[in-house]
Amino acid sequence: MSHSTSRMLTRVKAVYLYIREQGTVSTQKIAEEFGTTRRTVQRDLSILTYNGLVQSPNKGNWKITNKRVKIPDA
């Protein structure tokens, strides 16, 4: 796995954990928290949405789904 892929997967995991911790959070808030652009956050959220881990009940606001997930430490 390339370094950039590993970094992206680490960020996606961190975004998921951040949403889980915060409850419902906006795309802008995630971008500010991680120091990335909204477009980068949207890509990360697309991955999480595709895998059924997050949903956007209101446009631009995100929360986790009830899908069970095991998160590895590394």
Side-chain angles (χ1 to χ4, degrees):
M1 180 175 354
S2 74
H3 180 66
S4 61
T5 301
S6 177
R7 189 173 60 233
M8 184 267 305
L9 290 174
T10 300
R11 189 183 62 243
V12 169
K13 175 182 167 183
V15 168
Y16 175 79
L17 293 173
Y18 179 72
I19 296 169
R20 186 172 77 172
E21 178 183 298
Q22 297 296 313
T24 301
V25 64
S26 70
T27 304
Q28 183 62 39
K29 183 72 175 166
I30 297 168
E32 291 169 4
E33 178 69 23
F34 290 92
T36 61
T37 65
R38 287 176 53 108
R39 182 65 195 123
T40 298
V41 171
Q42 289 168 345
R43 280 189 217 106
D44 295 346
L45 292 168
S46 291
I47 293 167
L48 292 168
T49 300
Y50 178 82
N51 287 287
L53 299 173
V54 299
Q55 63 184 1
S56 179
N58 300 321
K59 186 176 179 179
N61 291 308
W62 297 90
K63 67 178 190 171
I64 64 168
T65 64
N66 292 328
K67 184 173 182 178
R68 293 180 55 111
V69 62
K70 182 175 180 181
I71 301 172
D73 293 332

